[in-house]
Amino acid sequence: MTRKLSNNAILNYKIVNYILLAVFVVGLLFIIFSPISISCYYTQAYGITCPTCGLTRDFKAILSGNTTDLISSSSLLFFGAFSCLFSSRILSNILISFRSNLRVLVVCETLVIFCILTLLILARI
């Protein structure tokens, strides 16, 4: 027997997804159109590079289609993980609109988490 989600739970889930999607879109627009160069706090404050140094610049290069000038080759995997996470929000909202049972939602979220973890593990290798 599958458990149906309440209308309130579906609404809360959709609100959280829309907020996350809005943050993602605003972040992408900032990266694409902003002339401001964001510098790494750790490099400025401590003189060391963090594992994600250059990620914003690489994301901007990926979004403009220029993948030859990437600082790190793992940036493509990080970008894939972020894209997978936020595009899954759209897919989850569509699925939950048609089939509002808990099993569909759990399977969808589990697959997304597995894909993201796989991409992030590959990025560290």
Side-chain angles (χ1 to χ4, degrees), residues 37-55:
S37 176
I38 301 172
S39 59
C40 181
Y41 170 77
Y42 289 102
T43 303
Q44 287 182 344
Y46 305 113
I48 59 173
T49 58
C50 66
T52 59
C53 269
L55 201 56

Side-chain angles (χ1 to χ4, degrees), residues 9-76:
I10 292 171
L11 180 65
N12 290 340
Y13 183 78
K14 286 183 175 185
I15 288 172
V16 169
N17 282 343
Y18 289 136
I19 291 170
L20 288 173
L21 187 62
V23 168
F24 179 67
V25 168
V26 168
L28 281 180
L29 291 174
F30 178 78
I31 289 172
I32 293 171
F33 297 113
S34 174
I36 299 171
S37 176
I38 301 172
S39 59
C40 181
Y41 170 77
Y42 289 102
T43 303
Q44 287 182 344
Y46 305 113
I48 59 173
T49 58
C50 66
T52 59
C53 269
L55 201 56
T56 303
R57 192 193 71 76
D58 284 353
F59 275 23
K60 190 170 189 169
I62 291 168
L63 290 171
S64 65
N66 184 10
T67 58
T68 58
D69 296 333
L70 298 180
I71 292 174
S72 172
S73 60
S74 62
S75 294
L76 283 171

Side-chain angles (χ1 to χ4, degrees), residues 41-112:
Y41 170 77
Y42 289 102
T43 303
Q44 287 182 344
Y46 305 113
I48 59 173
T49 58
C50 66
T52 59
C53 269
L55 201 56
T56 303
R57 192 193 71 76
D58 284 353
F59 275 23
K60 190 170 189 169
I62 291 168
L63 290 171
S64 65
N66 184 10
T67 58
T68 58
D69 296 333
L70 298 180
I71 292 174
S72 172
S73 60
S74 62
S75 294
L76 283 171
L77 294 173
F78 282 117
F79 185 78
F82 285 121
S83 298
C84 182
L85 175 67
F86 288 104
S87 61
S88 72
R89 302 291 98 214
I90 297 169
L91 178 64
S92 295
N93 275 350
I94 292 169
L95 286 176
I96 205 75
S97 295
F98 292 111
R99 297 214 36 182
S100 60
N101 70 46
L102 190 60
R103 182 177 296 157
V104 170
L105 188 61
V106 168
V107 168
C108 182
E109 294 292 326
T110 304
L111 287 173
V112 168

